[in-house]
Amino acid sequence: MNPRSWLALGLAVALSACGGGKQAPPPSIPAEQAKVDAIFAEYARPGSPGVAVGIYRGGKQIYSAGYGYADLASNVAITPHTPFQIASTSKQFAAFSAVLLERDGKLDLDADLRDYLPYVPDFGRKITPRHLIYHTSGLRDQWDLFLLGGRSMSDRLRQSQIVTMVKRQRGLNFAPGAGFEYSNTGYTLLAELVGAVSGQTLREFSDTRIFRPLGMRDTFFSDDLSEIIPNRAHSYEQRDGKWHLAPLNYETVGATGLYATVEDLLRWAANFTRPVVGDAALIREFSEMGKLDDGSAIPYGFGLKRMTFSGHEAVYHNGSDAAFRSQFAYFPEQDFAVVLLANNGMNLQPAFEKVIAAYLPAATTQNSLPALTTPEPSLVDALQGTYLTPGGSTVLLSKGAHGLVLQ
């Protein structure tokens, strides 16, 4: 009798002795995990882009999974190791780089920005690095300027072009420190500031000081569109019932540009309570929300917002570029984090709140956002277009797979 036959015989005897040959039932799936799987079940099928999800609690990653495909042409599935472009969720890493340089004694967040970047025009009022971080600089948004200049967001948009636009500006939307208005320009200049102070690009500095120490091996600022990124997620949008590529041609970093995986972002979440990079005092500074020059509070800090989900407070950011979507939230009191990354243009917010609710008992019945509605098709068609906000920014409403999509 060969060794495999002996092994089979031994297993049969053991099973018989343990209950008449009945096999032990498979381990049950935790209830929270089953809820998460159900939330994203519609994407777990061939031919569909989808979502990666990661959950962290109490010092460890407790669940991560992928649903759908990263590359429809090659049938590459999404996994927890798939790099996604995370859009504006990138901002916290540019801000954290600035805080590290402040700790090094190389950067004064309250100094005149022109001391570091002399090409920034003199607007008659001092703009500081802190103004850039808090979106209180008054600088006009780079994407609005591109659109007003006749450029398309599908064009190849470079860092150097934004710097050139800044050099040509003749005014601000408001006096620095006197108002709050989201400005991607400020975070692109923050990346330039990191380079001027450290002698390294933001990509090099963040890799050396943040990502490598935390073991975030698949996270980096992409500053070269021609770079080949293995196993990356591609961006897709649905038109006429079919999926089409929705290319993202930004070659800019700071405000956006970071590629990351859900597992890497959970390693970052762990650093809030168990700091490997920085210390508890630095994390406290980084997690604080900002103020206007008159002391008025604003709902934004160092690349992060402070939000409440079902009664639980979190530091949070989301992102949206092309059809990439990202959601990141860390809950300090619960030492809990959720990360969602998508490549299908979906509105991630309802799913995000459902995932949080699956793991955290609701302290209140009120979610952070109103309930999702389904407008009439005629209303969706009528509301499509580009709108100008009172602060001068542009908002684009376009038709998506499930209604209107805001950018």
Side-chain angles (χ1 to χ4, degrees):
M1 188 176 288
N2 62 44
R4 289 185 178 179
S5 299
W6 281 112
L7 178 60
L9 178 61
L11 286 172
V13 171
L15 287 170
S16 177
C18 292
K22 292 182 180 178
Q23 295 186 7
S28 60
I29 297 175
E32 300 95 338
Q33 179 179 325
K35 290 179 181 178
V36 172
D37 290 342
I39 292 168
F40 300 107
E42 65 178 297
Y43 301 106
R45 62 176 186 267
S48 172
V51 184
V53 58
I55 313 291
Y56 159 95
R57 183 164 58 193
K60 62 182 180 180
Q61 300 181 27
I62 60 174
Y63 187 54
S64 60
Y67 309 87
Y69 285 78
D71 186 342
L72 298 185
S74 303
N75 291 323
V76 175
I78 293 171
T79 76
H81 310 292
T82 299
F84 288 75
Q85 218 269 28
I86 68 169
S88 287
T89 305
S90 309
K91 287 182 170 69
Q92 59 195 289
F93 298 98
F96 196 70
S97 296
V99 174
L100 288 174
L101 286 166
E102 179 193 40
R103 173 65 66 88
D104 293 344
K106 295 181 178 180
L107 176 63
D108 181 353
L109 295 183
D110 298 306
D112 192 328
L113 180 61
R114 286 167 47 80
D115 292 345
Y116 305 106
L117 302 177
Y119 58 76
V120 175
D122 183 356
F123 295 107
R125 293 283 299 272
K126 181 176 77 171
I127 298 175
T128 69
R130 195 180 300 276
H131 288 143
L132 302 182
I133 290 168
Y134 290 163
H135 298 293
T136 58
S137 68
L139 288 164
R140 292 160 181 162
D141 190 82
Q142 62 198 36
W143 307 135
D144 296 338
L145 294 174
F146 272 130
L147 291 171
L148 291 169
R151 300 296 300 272
S152 167
M153 298 305 288
S154 62
D155 293 345
R156 187 170 184 172
L157 306 177
R158 296 178 172 89
Q159 192 92 350
S160 60
Q161 294 171 317
I162 298 169
V163 170
T164 299
M165 287 196 304
V166 170
K167 292 178 180 178
R168 294 175 176 174
Q169 294 300 297
R170 299 180 180 179
L172 301 169
N173 285 343
F174 50 80
F180 168 79
E181 184 174 275
Y182 197 85
S183 173
N184 289 287
T185 308
Y187 271 77
T188 298
L189 287 182
L190 199 62
E192 295 296 299
L193 183 61
V194 169
V197 171
S198 71
Q200 297 177 293
T201 64
L202 178 60
R203 176 172 181 162
E204 293 166 340
F205 182 85
S206 58
D207 183 61
T208 301
R209 296 292 299 276
I210 304 173
F211 304 139
R212 271 192 272 169
L214 291 176
M216 298 170 68
R217 299 180 183 86
D218 297 308
T219 299
F220 60 95
F221 278 101
S222 176
D223 49 14
D224 179 2
L225 271 177
S226 64
E227 180 177 10
I228 296 173
I229 303 172
N231 303 313
R232 58 163 287 189
H234 293 273
S235 171
Y236 298 95
E237 62 183 357
Q238 197 169 44
R239 299 195 306 270
D240 303 322
K242 296 181 180 179
W243 290 107
H244 299 263
L245 278 170
L248 180 60
N249 293 325
Y250 299 172
E251 204 167 57
T252 69
V253 296
T256 181
L258 192 77
Y259 275 86
T261 67
V262 292
E263 291 200 336
D264 275 0
L265 290 172
L266 295 182
R267 294 183 178 96
W268 166 246
N271 196 64
F272 280 82
T273 303
R274 298 166 176 80
V276 173
V277 178
D279 54 28
L282 187 144
I283 297 298
R284 277 196 303 273
E285 177 187 1
F286 174 70
S287 302
E288 290 176 354
M289 296 298 102
K291 295 180 180 180
L292 298 180
D293 285 358
D294 66 4
S296 302
I298 59 172
Y300 202 94
F302 288 79
L304 290 165
K305 311 166 191 177
R306 193 170 294 278
M307 290 189 67
T308 300
F309 298 93
S310 297
H312 303 288
E313 192 172 81
V315 287
Y316 162 87
H317 215 289
N318 61 331
S320 172
D321 280 337
F324 288 116
R325 302 290 184 267
S326 60
Q327 298 268 0
F328 171 90
Y330 176 73
F331 297 78
E333 290 188 8
Q334 291 79 20
D335 193 19
F336 174 77
V338 175
V339 179
L340 299 184
L341 305 177
N343 65 335
N344 58 8
M346 69 180 288
N347 176 11
L348 276 177
Q349 192 71 32
F352 186 65
E353 299 211 12
K354 289 178 183 177
V355 172
I356 293 169
Y359 286 88
L360 294 183
T364 69
T365 58
Q366 183 179 359
N367 288 328
S368 61
L369 291 179
L372 184 67
T373 61
T374 304
E376 293 293 330
S378 59
L379 184 59
V380 171
D381 292 336
L383 289 175
Q384 289 187 89
T386 302
Y387 296 82
L388 191 66
T389 69
S393 298
T394 54
V395 173
L396 176 65
L397 290 178
S398 58
K399 192 173 182 178
H402 302 290
L404 285 170
V405 178
L406 183 147
Q407 284 187 292

